[in-house]
Amino acid sequence: QVQLVESGGGLVQAGGSLRLSCAASGRASSMYFMGWFRQAPGKEREFVGGIHWRGSSTYYADSVKGRFTISTDNAKNTVYLQMNSLKPDDTAVYYCAARVSSPITAPSSSAEYHYWGQGTQVTVSS
């Protein structure tokens, strides 16, 4: 029903910036909440942050607060993850996820999301 495609990943130096995009198609109008997760080698998938489509309420993991910003472009059905002051520990595959039809109660829980993108690699060099 909803397709998510991430883009914008790449290789950056520590202290640099990247902006990831997540474009939604299909029944995108039904989306309530968009989340960003990441997974580094040998680690479990980790919640990065998320945003409500309406109201723009945001949530961030402690590890990225003050450095990452999530925003939406409703006209494009796209969610962005602006990543500044990147650290080597930010290296991971980043995924966007969508919750549809009903409000979210636990944004950091992957079980709250109905659809997932394919992921985009972010590598931060020292």
Side-chain angles (χ1 to χ4, degrees):
Q1 294 183 2
V2 176
Q3 296 80 46
L4 305 175
V5 180
E6 303 98 332
S7 62
L11 173 64
V12 298
Q13 298 181 47
S17 299
L18 278 176
R19 188 179 74 163
L20 305 184
S21 299
C22 176
S25 60
R27 295 187 181 182
S29 61
S30 68
M31 294 187 298
Y32 267 79
F33 193 89
M34 297 294 296
W36 285 96
F37 290 76
R38 65 186 182 186
Q39 187 165 21
K43 296 184 178 180
E44 294 185 350
R45 188 169 296 181
E46 174 191 22
F47 175 73
V48 175
I51 187 168
H52 288 274
W53 279 107
R54 296 178 62 85
S56 297
S57 298
T58 56
Y59 301 80
Y60 296 99
D62 289 342
S63 59
V64 306
K65 286 181 180 177
R67 299 188 298 120
F68 291 9
T69 303
I70 298 172
S71 61
T72 62
D73 185 335
N74 290 348
K76 295 182 178 180
N77 287 325
T78 298
V79 176
Y80 302 98
L81 178 65
Q82 178 66 48
M83 304 184 294
N84 299 326
S85 301
L86 283 162
K87 306 173 182 178
D89 286 348
D90 295 318
T91 296
V93 177
Y94 283 71
Y95 301 88
C96 66
R99 180 177 175 85
V100 300
S101 300
S102 61
I104 199 166
T105 58
S108 64
S109 174
S110 61
E112 293 278 347
Y113 299 87
H114 301 101
Y115 299 97
W116 294 81
Q118 83 288 350
T120 185
Q121 177 71 48
V122 172
T123 302
V124 184
S125 62
S126 301

